[in-house]
Amino acid sequence: MKKLVAQQQLEEIKQDFRKFVYVLWKHLGLPDPTPVQYDICKYLQNGPQRMMISAFRGVGKSWLTSAFVVWLLLNDPDKKIMVVSASKDRADAFSVFVKRIIHEVDFCLHLKPGKDQRSSNISFDVGPARADHSPSVKSVGITGQLTGSRADIIIADDVEVANNSDTQTARDKLSEQVKEFDAILKPLPTSRIIYLGTPQTEDSLYNKIGDRGYQTQVWPAEMPSEAQIPKYGDSLAPLILKMGLKVGEPTDPKRFDAEDLMKRKASYGRSGYQLQFQLNTALSDEERYPLKVSDLIVSQLDGESAPMTFQWLPHPDRRVGGDIPNMAMSGDYLYYPADNSDVTMPYQGVVMSVDPSGRGKDETAYAIVAQLNGYLFVLDAGGFAGGYDADEVLKPLAMLAKKYNVNEILVESNFGDGMFTTIFS
């Protein structure tokens, strides 16, 4: 009779991932899962084929997804699952935890690898699985050997971190690397790619995968304001909106109460907290990158005078397009002025700033900036190949200084001391 009851419970566990997590958490001696954790479980089980989970630090999304891998294998031992992270150590820790669950939980013991099966911590089979080229679970770093395997489920756990997303070149490289997932994924209706992570910037890979058919849900640590909610788009988890919380109240007080979040906010700083716990890159980047290209005004100028006043208005109708490149982050644009005065006056001063290349292969860069009525006007900027002692650099700089009636020349002191002595002596 007891065996029959146990079997009935096992069938319930196999049908509902939340029940599996409840039993597993009891086994691990953890507190009962929280409503937010249960909501993540529900999304893992019923989410789309291509999905992204973005939840505050410490909610346990990696632990929940490790448990989800075991639950998938419990239901179908022939599934092939690949875990990918920014570093191989991170991916390996994920698969090691999966293997420990299999070895420690009584109703999962039949999933232990057999004598003739792969059984390493980073690549192993489960007992009932049929023979296959690909292991049941495999962990790999995003820069590792992704090709050569096939998978039903790909778990991308923190593939984007600060080190591989701090420049546009690094972000472009990462964006190309994750495209390999589509070559690995089996062409089955049950195949899935699941991202777990925290965006590092507004230009994050995670903010762009929606264009590739991924659906994102976000669970912030505290209730956002009415002004902040639209910044999440349609990604804010419905549970958050249904909680009826006041602005700033914790969404998962069993994990982090208001006092705890306040301490973390003081420790992380406002921008770090917005990124790590509120998952809103637009808010974070406003703090981390306060100077935007939209703060500039793009206008036709001459070399001698300019209008006395300009009206700044970053409206879509005034957005700069065409052949002018915009290297800013997503959502940041260059704009023409809304209007300017008819009264013009000569510039009140013109400065040329030079960054010499020394005798290396880098260019000698320059910028010419004029001032009038509190406005700064960039009249010219560019560079010349060659060192500070080359005539093909010094003469063009001297001609530019003469063309714009430069009053003062500022030279960066790295190898450039005295570079204008020859020109103006």
Side-chain angles (χ1 to χ4, degrees):
M1 183 65 181
K2 290 184 178 180
K3 185 176 180 180
L4 178 62
V5 172
Q7 185 62 34
Q8 289 176 340
Q9 291 176 338
L10 181 59
E11 290 304 316
E12 290 181 14
I13 287 171
K14 292 171 68 174
Q15 291 176 12
D16 192 332
F17 175 52
R18 294 171 297 180
K19 294 181 178 180
F20 176 84
V21 168
Y22 175 82
V23 174
L24 179 60
W25 262 222
K26 288 293 186 184
H27 172 81
L28 296 174
L30 299 174
D32 290 347
T34 67
V36 168
Q37 288 177 330
Y38 276 135
D39 200 42
I40 294 174
C41 291
K42 183 180 178 181
Y43 191 59
L44 279 167
Q45 180 176 350
N46 303 308
Q49 285 186 296
R50 296 169 183 266
M51 55 179 277
M52 165 79 190
I53 291 176
S54 187
F56 58 88
R57 292 290 185 186
V59 73
K61 53 185 179 290
S62 292
W63 278 49
L64 291 170
T65 311
S66 296
F68 183 63
V69 169
V70 179
W71 183 80
L72 288 171
L73 294 170
L74 190 64
N75 280 278
D76 183 0
D78 287 316
K79 280 197 180 298
K80 308 301 175 186
I81 301 165
M82 177 179 284
V83 182
V84 186
S85 294
S87 69
K88 182 162 173 52
D89 289 343
R90 170 80 178 184
D92 292 349
F94 189 108
S95 63
V96 167
F97 185 53
V98 170
K99 193 175 181 182
R100 286 196 61 180
I101 294 174
I102 290 173
H103 280 72
E104 294 182 10
V105 179
D106 55 356
F107 56 84
C108 296
L109 293 176
H110 66 288
L111 296 176
K112 291 172 61 175
K115 293 182 179 179
D116 298 327
Q117 293 178 303
R118 286 162 287 209
S119 60
S120 73
N121 286 334
I122 61 175
S123 178
F124 63 88
D125 296 314
V126 294
R130 294 191 294 265
D132 196 288
H133 284 287
S134 300
S136 298
V137 178
K138 178 181 179 180
S139 60
V140 63
I142 188 62
T143 59
Q145 186 64 37
L146 293 176
T147 58
S149 295
R150 302 287 281 169
D152 297 279
I153 309 290
I154 297 176
I155 309 291
D157 183 20
D158 277 337
V159 293
E160 177 184 283
V161 293
N163 290 342
N164 66 3
S165 62
D166 56 351
T167 66
Q168 186 60 50
T169 300
R171 291 191 291 270
D172 290 342
K173 181 179 180 181
L174 178 61
S175 180
E176 290 300 313
Q177 288 171 331
V178 298
K179 288 181 180 179
E180 186 65 23
F181 293 168
D182 289 293
I184 298 169
L185 198 68
K186 293 181 180 179
L188 301 172
T190 55
S191 297
R192 299 175 69 188
I193 301 176
I194 301 172
Y195 278 88
L196 313 172
T198 302
Q200 300 297 314
T201 69
E202 187 175 355
D203 210 30
S204 167
L205 165 70
Y206 300 144
N207 288 349
K208 295 181 176 181
I209 59 176
D211 297 334
R212 301 182 185 182
Y214 288 82
Q215 179 180 316
T216 299
Q217 283 209 0
V218 177
W219 289 265
E222 62 181 50
M223 185 66 189
S225 66
E226 290 187 9
Q228 294 169 346
I229 288 176
K231 294 181 180 291
Y232 291 96
D234 57 359
S235 63
L236 192 62
L239 173 70
I240 303 299
L241 298 175
K242 293 177 182 178
M243 287 180 170
L245 299 173
K246 295 179 181 178
V247 175
E249 287 188 333
T251 58
D252 200 354
K254 292 183 178 179
R255 295 290 294 173
F256 301 113
D257 58 24
E259 182 178 355
D260 195 331
L261 290 179
M262 188 178 300
K263 292 178 181 177
R264 293 174 188 273
K265 190 180 298 184
S267 176
Y268 270 90
R270 184 179 175 187
S271 61
Y273 181 83
Q274 289 291 341
L275 186 64
Q276 301 294 327
F277 287 84
Q278 290 301 96
L279 295 311
N280 193 322
T281 55
L283 296 174
S284 173
D285 281 354
E286 288 176 5
E287 297 293 325
R288 298 173 66 197
Y289 308 106
L291 184 62
K292 306 287 188 179
V293 300
S294 58
D295 296 326
L296 302 173
I297 297 175
V298 178
S299 181
Q300 295 282 355
L301 299 173
D302 66 38
E304 298 181 356
S305 63
M308 290 292 290
T309 60
F310 288 85
Q311 291 185 7
W312 176 77
L313 181 64
H315 189 276
D317 291 343
R318 307 303 299 161
R319 187 177 297 170
V320 175
D323 297 332
I324 299 179
N326 179 19
M327 304 304 291
M329 291 187 173
S330 299
D332 194 13
Y333 301 96
L334 292 164
Y335 294 92
Y336 295 115
D339 197 6
N340 56 262
S341 67
D342 295 329
V343 179
T344 63
M345 286 190 65
Y347 297 119
Q348 296 168 333
V350 184
V351 174
M352 172 188 277
S353 179
V354 180
D355 182 5
S357 66
R359 293 182 174 84
K361 296 182 179 180
D362 295 337
E363 288 189 341
T364 292
Y366 71 90
I368 299 174
V369 180
Q371 186 272 135
L372 173 64
N373 200 26
Y375 293 100
L376 297 178
F377 301 86
V378 181
L379 302 180
D380 201 344
F384 299 102
Y388 67 81
D389 57 348
D391 287 346
E392 61 267 25
V393 172
L394 298 180
K395 288 183 179 179
L397 288 174
M399 296 303 294
L400 286 168
K402 181 179 180 181
K403 174 182 177 182
Y404 291 105
N405 298 314
V406 170
N407 306 116
E408 184 177 2
I409 298 175
L410 305 176
V411 182
E412 188 175 338
S413 60
N414 58 327
F415 307 107
D417 291 327
M419 69 176 291
F420 286 101
T421 302
T422 302
I423 302 177
F424 299 108
S425 59

